Amino acid sequence: MQMNAKRLFNIDPWLVATHQLDKTNKRLQESLTAIGNGYMGMRGNFEEGYSGDTLLGTYLAGVWFPDKTRVGWWKNGYPDYFGKAINAPSFINLGITINGVALDLAKNKFRDFNLQLDLHQGKLTRSFVYVADDVEVAFEFERFVSNAMQQAGLIKVTAKVLKGSAALKFDAALDGNVTNEDANYDEHFWIPQHEDAVKGSIQLETKANPFDVPQFTVLLKQALKVDGATVEGMRTSEPGRLDETLSYDLAQGDDLTIEKRVIVLTSRDVEPEKQPAQAEKLMAELLPQSFDQALAAHEQVWAKRWAQSDVVIDGDAAAQQGIRFSIAQMFMTYYGEDTRLNIGPKGFTGEKYGGATYWDTEAYVVPMYLAVTPPKVTRALLQYRHDQLPGAYHNAQQQGLAGALFPMVTFNGIECHNEWEITFEELHRNSDIAFAIKQYTDYTGDESYVNGDGIDVLVGVARFWADRVHFSKRHQQYMIHGVTGPNEYENNVNNNWFTNTMAAWELQYTLERLPKADVDKVQALAVTDDEKAHWQDIVDRMYYPEDKDLGIFVQHDTFLDKDLRPASSIPADQRPLNQHWSWDKILRSPFIKQADVLQGIYFLNDRFTREQKEANFDFYEPMTVHESSLSASIHAILAAELGKEEKAVELYARTARLDLDDYNNDTEDGLHITSMSGGWLAIVQGFAGMRYTGGHLSFKPFVPKGWTHYSFKLNYRGRLIAVDVADETTLKLVSGEPIDVVINDKTVHLS
Amino acid sequence: MQMNAKRLFNIDPWLVATHQLDKTNKRLQESLTAIGNGYMGMRGNFEEGYSGDTLLGTYLAGVWFPDKTRVGWWKNGYPDYFGKAINAPSFINLGITINGVALDLAKNKFRDFNLQLDLHQGKLTRSFVYVADDVEVAFEFERFVSNAMQQAGLIKVTAKVLKGSAALKFDAALDGNVTNEDANYDEHFWIPQHEDAVKGSIQLETKANPFDVPQFTVLLKQALKVDGATVEGMRTSEPGRLDETLSYDLAQGDDLTIEKRVIVLTSRDVEPEKQPAQAEKLMAELLPQSFDQALAAHEQVWAKRWAQSDVVIDGDAAAQQGIRFSIAQMFMTYYGEDTRLNIGPKGFTGEKYGGATYWDTEAYVVPMYLAVTPPKVTRALLQYRHDQLPGAYHNAQQQGLAGALFPMVTFNGIECHNEWEITFEELHRNSDIAFAIKQYTDYTGDESYVNGDGIDVLVGVARFWADRVHFSKRHQQYMIHGVTGPNEYENNVNNNWFTNTMAAWELQYTLERLPKADVDKVQALAVTDDEKAHWQDIVDRMYYPEDKDLGIFVQHDTFLDKDLRPASSIPADQRPLNQHWSWDKILRSPFIKQADVLQGIYFLNDRFTREQKEANFDFYEPMTVHESSLSASIHAILAAELGKEEKAVELYARTARLDLDDYNNDTEDGLHITSMSGGWLAIVQGFAGMRYTGGHLSFKPFVPKGWTHYSFKLNYRGRLIAVDVADETTLKLVSGEPIDVVINDKTVHLS
C-alpha cells in the first residue's frame, strides 16, 4: 500500500464529514463532496464563491464538445478530435455580502465549520459562523440535485445573526461564463444566446465545430424563495449571465432562509425553442413544494436503491464508509434512466477523461451493477453500445477494417481520443464489450438481449476480429499484431495473450449464440457459411504465447526478454512510476499497470486450472504496480480464490477507499467513479467468492481479519437475496421465488 | 516508378523555365522556383501579389517558434513544444496598378508569360505582357538573395508600355502580418515592435513563449531605385507594415526600371537596438552598386561553387537538369557559413518539417557534401552537433537516461518534435550522427575533429547507449527494446537490427578513437575502465536478429511473423500507402518505407560479404515502397554494387527528379532538400561505385543505358579530381598533389 494517503474526512457509516476547511486540499475536498443525479452534477464548490484555489465544475450528462487536436503529424485513421464533457453553466452561485463585505472563506474569519455529504440521500450540507469585528452570522447551506425531478437543483441557505446587526445582500446567479482548465487555448466553449431577466433564465449554445458534431443548447432558469414564500429579486443580465439580488437587514437573533430553485434543460431532451416553456412548466411543478417535500421525494428514490444494494461491514468502520461512498457516488453518476448515457471515469466530479465512455463500464461496473440494481439498469448500458453500432462500424472503416470497432473513448460511438497506441491498438475493449453481454445473459438468465440487439453487437465485433487478425505463414497460426493490452504501460505489442484470448472467445461465443438469435436479426446480419468457417478456423488456430517451463501464459511475444524484476525492487520515492519515470522507461520496464493476463483469467475463470491460476498470479502480480485504479480489485478476487487471504485484503484496501484516502494522489482532479466497483467486487466476488457460472449462484466466503461480519444484497433473477458472512454464512431470500445456491460446494435451498 | 509524375517546367541544362502560369499547380510552381542563400530564402511567390491559391513563404535561417502541443495525454519525457520555422516578414512585395487596375495574374489577361530559375546563379526571372483593352505593358521581374551580402535581397522590375498609355503605381512594402498555414489556432507569431517611415524599416519580435526559448527580433529595411537612381517614395506605415509608393505616367514605348533593395537582420546576429544602425550601414554598402554589379559579386560565389561540384550527364537531358537543380537548391539552403545552422528537410521552400534539423543531414547530405564542397562546410555540420551537446544531454536526462541523445528534430539541440514513437524511439540517429564523424575523418583524412570536439560527441553517445541497452537474462545478450528504425512504417519494435548494429558500432568506434583523442578532452571526459569494459561487453554480447535459413538479418524481433508479401501485390490505386492506408494498416504491413537493414549494409559496407548483401537486398527491396524521399538512393547504390544495373537506374530515376517531376505528389508543400543528395549519391557511389574505405579512393563505374557519358568532381584531401565515365573512365587531377586511385581494382596514378 502506498504511504501517501491523505484522509480529509472523518470516519462515519453514512456521512463524509469534516470540521476543517482544508484550503491546501480544497480541490480534493471538492471532489469528495461532489453530488449528481445521473442527469447533472457538480463538484463541492461553494455557493458564495471562493477566491482561493478551486476547480469549478458543473457537468451535464451527454453535453460535450469535440476539441481540436489535429496536429502536424496526424495520420490516416487518427480521430479528428478529442471529445470532452465541458464545464457547464453554473447554477449554484449565491453570492453573499454582510455589511458590505463579500462572504469568502478564503479571506474571512469564521468558526464552527462543518461540511458533510450525506450518502444516504446525496445531499451536501455546509455550515459555519461568519466572524467580523462587530457581527457574527451563522450560515447553513443545503444542496441536492433531485432524483424525483432530474432537471431540478435545490439550494437552501439559512442565515442567523448571532451578534450585532447584518445588512445581508444575496446575489443568486446563473453563470455561463465558464471555461475548462484543460482547454488548449483557453477557449470558451459556450456562446451566450439569450438572457431573459423577466423569466429569470439564460440560454447558451456550445460553439460551432468543424466535425459535424451537433451543438448543444442549454437553458437554466431560477426562482427564489424567502422563508418559504416565492420572491423575485432585482434581476440584471449580461451576456451568458443572470443576477438576481435581494437585500435584508437583520438584527441580532433574526434569521432568514433563502432558497434557490433551478431547472436545467438541454437540447438532448428539449429543442431550444421549446426550452423556455418546458422550464416554466417544470418550475411550476417544483416551486410549490417545500424544500422538505422535494427532499422527501428525492430520498424515496434513494431509499429504494439502498434497500437493494447496501453493504454492511462490522469491525471496520473505514471500510464501511468506503463501500457506501462508492455505491452512493456510482448511483449519483448512473442509474440507467437514459440509454444515451454512460458512466464517465470521473462522473460529474471533474474534467479529466472528459466525461466520456470507456471500457471501464463493461469490465468493472457491469459485474457489480448486475447484482446491485434491477436488470434494466445494466441492460441500458448494453443498449447504449448497440445504439452506437454505426459509430463502431465507422471506427473500423477508418482503419480500413471490416466490422465494428467500439471506441476506446466516446460520446456517440465514434472514437474521440487521440493516442493511436490506445485508440486503434487497445482493441481488447471490443471483446470486453461483448463479454458484458455474456455476463448479463448468464447472470440474469434473460436471453432477450443477446438474441435481439446483442447479436448485432456480437457479429459486428466478430467481423472486426476476423479482418484484424493475420495469418502467419511461418507459424501457420493466426496472430494479432500491434495492440495495447490492458497493461497500458506497454504499447504496440504483438500477440497480447489477453487480446488474442478474448478475440477467440468472442468469435466462439458469436458462433454459439448465432443459431439461437431472433430470426429477423439473423436474416438481416446474413453471416455466410464461409464467414462462420473462417471464424471457426481462427478459433482453432489462434496463436497464444505461452511458456511451458514457467507454466504461464506470456503477456505478449517478447515480454520474457525484458529485464524482469519485482515491483518491490523499485525505490519507494519513484512510485507511482507514471509520476516519476519517463514514458520510455515505463514502456521498457517489466512493470504492469493493471491486470492483463490475470484479467483474462478473471473473465474466463472456469477455463483454467487452479495450478494455472496460481502460476500466473505468482508470476505477474509481483511485477504489477497497480497504477490503474482498476487493478487491485481483480487481483484481490483472484488472490481470494487462491486462498491468499492476506494478499486479497491488502489489495482490497487499495481500492476500497481509493478516493477517500487519496491513495493515488490525484483525486483532486475528480473521483475514480468507474473504479468504485472495486471494493464491492473484492468483497462479493473476492471475500465471499460469489460466482454464477452455469446458472448456479455459488459462494466460498471468508471473513477478512479484523472484520466480524459483513453482509450484502444480490438482485438475482427476480429475487433479492441478502448474504450475511460471519463465522457462518447465512443467505436470506428477501423477495422472489425459492432457489438453490451453493455455499462452499454444498447446495442450500432458499425459500 | 509512380505514374502520377507532374512536370511543370521544360527540360534545360541550366534553367528551370516555363511559359505556362499553372494556376492549378501554383504552389508546386512556387516550390520549384524558391531561392535562398543559406541565410534566408523564399518561395516563388509573385512580387505584385496573387489572389489565387498560393502558399506565401519567406524564411530566415534559425528563426523559429516553439509551438504549443502539450495535450491531455502528455507523459513524462514528451517534449514540451513543437519547434517550427515561422513564416518571416515578407520583403518581396511590390504591388503594381496600371491605370487603376491591380496587377494580379490570377485575374488579369496576359501573354508571353515566362518564368525561369537560373540554376547557375540562383536568380529568379519572370516576364509577361499585361493586356487590357487599351493598354499593354511588358513586365520583367528579377530577384535574388545575395551570396556576396547574405542580408541583402534585390528585386528589379522593368515595365515597358507596348500599347496605349499607362499610369503606373508601385507599392513597395515590407509586411510582417504573416501567418503559418500550419498554425494550430491561426496564431500570429510576429508582434510588431516599430515602424520607421523615415528610415524605411519595420521591426518585429516573435511572440513570447513559456518554454524559455529566446524570442527573435528582426528588422527589415528597404530602399528604392528608379532607372538606376535612388528615390524615396511616399512612405506610410501601420503596425508591422511599411508601404512606399511611387507613381509614373508612361506613354507608348516608354519604359521604367524600379529596383527594391532590402536588408534583413535578425537578433541571431545583431542585437535589436543595434539593428537600425547596422541596416543603415549595410544599405549604404549595397545601394551604390548597380543591380548588375551586385549580381556579378553574387555570381562569383556561385561560379566557384559550381567549379567544384558540377555534374555533367550526356545523353539524358532530364537527368542533367535534375542533378543541377538538386545541387543548386542544396547550396541555396546551406553552404556552411554559420555553424549554428543546419539543413531543414524543406530548406527555405515551405513550412513542412518546420525548418528544423533531422538526421537526414548526417545520413544523406554529409556523404555528398564531403565531396562537392570544401571540408570546412561538412565540418560546420559536425560542429553544429557538438555545440548542441548540452541539449543532447538534456534530452537523455528527460528520459531518465545517461549520456547524450541527439534530437530527432531540433533547432537548439533540445528535442522539439512530439511523437513519442519518433522522438525517444527512433534512436538510431544517435549513431548516425556519430557515423558522420567517421565519414568525415575517413574521407578527409583530417583527424582533428574526431580527436577534438568529435570525441565529446562519441563519448556522449556511447554513454547513452550503455544505459539504454538492457541485458536479457534469458538470452544472456544485450538488447534494445522499444525503438523505431529507419523504417518509420513500424514503431516501437524490439531489437531493430540496424539500431543494434549501429549502437554496437558506435561503442566500438568510440573505444577505438578514445586513446588517440586530445589529452585535455580525454581527461575532461574521464571515461573509467569500468565504463570501457562495459562498452566492450555490450559490443561483444549484442543481440542481432538473424535468420540463418533465409541468410538475412531480420529487421526486428517479430518481423518474420508478419504477412510477408511483395510491394508489387499492392494495388496501384493504393499507393503511396501513407495517403491511402490507415496508420494501423501500415504499421502491421510488411511494407518498408525506406532502407532499414539495407541502410546498415550501406553504412558498414565493407563488413558484409557479397552473398549477405545480395540475400538482404533480394529479401527487403521487394517489400520496400520507397515512400521516404531518402530511400531510393541507398537502394540504387546497393543495386549498382550488386550488378543490378537496371534496378539501380530505376531507383535512381525515383530520386533524380523527385521534385521536378513531383513524384510523391507533395512538392507543393516545399522541396525535399535533404533528399536532393540522392541523385548525386546514386551517380557517384552507385553508377561510378566510388568508395573511400581504408584511405583509398576507388571506383567500379558503369554507364547507365541511354547515357553516353557522365562526369563529376570530387574534393578529396586537398585535391580537386574530375571523374569522367564513358566506355572508359578517365580521372583528372584538376588541382592538388598526385595520388593513387583504384579503378575496377586497378591502381591508377593521378598527377
Side-chain angles (χ1 to χ4, degrees), chain A residues 311 313 318-328 652 656 679-680 683:
Chain A
V311 176
I313 298 172
Q320 176 65 75
Q321 185 184 37
I323 189 74
R324 286 209 178 112
F325 181 68
S326 296
I327 295 171
Y652 160 79
W680 188 92
I683 292 171

Side-chain angles (χ1 to χ4, degrees), chain A residues 67-73 75-78 82 183-187 207 398-401 417-422 424-425 427 467-475 479-482 490-495 543 547 556-565 577-585 587-588, chain B residues 67-73 75-78 82 183-187 207 398-401 417-422 424-425 427 467-475 479-482 490-495 543 547 556-565 577-585 587-588:
Chain A
D67 207 6
K68 178 163 144 178
T69 54
R70 181 162 168 156
V71 279
W73 53 89
K75 300 188 179 88
N76 289 332
Y78 283 19
F82 180 75
N184 280 325
Y185 285 75
D186 304 325
E187 310 95 320
K207 68 175 197 168
Q398 290 296 100
Q399 306 307 326
L401 291 164
H417 188 51
N418 216 343
E419 286 173 290
W420 64 270
E421 60 273 28
I422 299 298
F424 58 76
E425 294 224 323
L427 298 175
D467 198 27
R468 183 54 171 76
V469 301
H470 78 273
F471 189 70
S472 167
K473 296 184 202 79
R474 199 158 69 135
H475 289 263
M479 293 188 164
I480 307 180
H481 273 191
E490 295 186 306
N491 291 148
N492 194 49
V493 301
N494 293 337
N495 295 311
Y543 164 85
D547 190 290
H556 63 85
D557 274 347
T558 58
F559 184 79
L560 296 180
D561 288 348
K562 289 192 159 193
D563 178 15
L564 302 178
R565 56 196 195 280
L577 295 183
N578 65 28
Q579 289 174 21
H580 293 90
W581 282 16
S582 74
W583 192 234
D584 170 64
K585 208 166 167 181
L587 286 178
R588 293 186 295 113
Chain B
D67 207 7
K68 177 163 144 179
T69 54
R70 180 163 169 155
V71 279
W73 52 90
K75 299 188 180 89
N76 289 331
Y78 283 20
F82 180 75
N184 281 325
Y185 285 74
D186 303 327
E187 309 95 320
K207 67 175 196 168
Q398 289 296 99
Q399 306 307 325
L401 290 164
H417 187 51
N418 216 344
E419 286 174 290
W420 65 270
E421 60 273 27
I422 300 299
F424 58 76
E425 294 224 322
L427 297 176
D467 198 27
R468 183 56 169 73
V469 302
H470 78 272
F471 189 70
S472 167
K473 297 186 201 77
R474 198 158 69 135
H475 290 263
M479 293 188 162
I480 306 181
H481 272 191
E490 294 186 307
N491 290 148
N492 193 49
V493 301
N494 293 337
N495 295 310
Y543 164 87
D547 189 291
H556 63 86
D557 274 347
T558 57
F559 184 79
L560 297 180
D561 288 347
K562 289 191 158 193
D563 177 16
L564 302 178
R565 55 196 196 279
L577 295 184
N578 64 28
Q579 289 173 23
H580 294 91
W581 282 15
S582 74
W583 192 234
D584 169 65
K585 209 166 168 180
L587 286 178
R588 293 187 294 113

Side-chain angles (χ1 to χ4, degrees), chain A residues 337-380:
Chain A
E337 295 92 350
D338 185 338
T339 55
R340 297 167 303 168
L341 299 179
N342 207 288
I343 309 171
K346 298 220 168 275
F348 300 113
T349 73
E351 296 177 1
K352 221 175 158 185
Y353 302 110
T357 306
Y358 287 66
W359 69 291
D360 304 28
T361 295
E362 280 80 6
Y364 303 98
V365 179
V366 160
M368 169 177 166
Y369 265 44
L370 278 174
V372 298
T373 66
K376 65 176 182 187
V377 178
T378 308
R379 184 157 174 161

Side-chain angles (χ1 to χ4, degrees), chain A residues 373-543:
Chain A
T373 66
K376 65 176 182 187
V377 178
T378 308
R379 184 157 174 161
L381 289 171
L382 305 187
Q383 194 66 42
Y384 172 91
R385 295 294 190 177
H386 175 269
D387 295 347
Q388 293 191 350
L389 263 172
Y393 274 94
H394 168 87
N395 298 334
Q397 203 213 324
Q398 290 296 100
Q399 306 307 326
L401 291 164
L405 172 60
F406 284 96
M408 193 64 194
V409 183
T410 197
F411 289 89
N412 58 4
I414 292 173
E415 181 61 64
C416 72
H417 188 51
N418 216 343
E419 286 173 290
W420 64 270
E421 60 273 28
I422 299 298
T423 56
F424 58 76
E425 294 224 323
E426 196 168 341
L427 298 175
H428 65 82
R429 79 232 185 203
N430 228 20
S431 304
D432 307 334
I433 287 164
F435 192 71
I437 299 174
K438 177 182 160 62
Q439 290 187 304
Y440 173 84
T441 308
D442 288 359
Y443 187 88
T444 64
D446 169 19
E447 302 207 351
S448 67
Y449 182 75
V450 70
N451 290 340
D453 285 348
I455 198 71
D456 291 340
V457 172
L458 292 179
V459 169
V461 172
R463 283 176 165 154
F464 174 81
W465 284 126
D467 198 27
R468 183 54 171 76
V469 301
H470 78 273
F471 189 70
S472 167
K473 296 184 202 79
R474 199 158 69 135
H475 289 263
Q476 290 291 304
Q477 281 179 300
Y478 289 94
M479 293 188 164
I480 307 180
H481 273 191
V483 300
T484 294
N487 172 31
E488 290 171 337
Y489 282 180
E490 295 186 306
N491 291 148
N492 194 49
V493 301
N494 293 337
N495 295 311
N496 171 257
W497 181 85
F498 176 73
T499 304
N500 288 22
T501 298
M502 292 302 296
W505 167 83
E506 202 280 335
L507 289 164
Q508 192 167 24
Y509 187 62
T510 307
L511 285 168
E512 278 168 33
R513 295 300 326 185
L514 202 50
K516 303 175 196 162
D518 297 350
V519 175
D520 57 331
K521 287 286 183 188
V522 173
Q523 277 178 346
L525 287 164
V527 180
T528 66
D529 288 345
D530 280 355
E531 264 185 303
K532 283 187 265 191
H534 184 219
W535 297 356
Q536 188 63 52
D537 193 41
I538 296 168
V539 172
D540 295 341
R541 294 204 282 169
M542 178 61 85
Y543 164 85

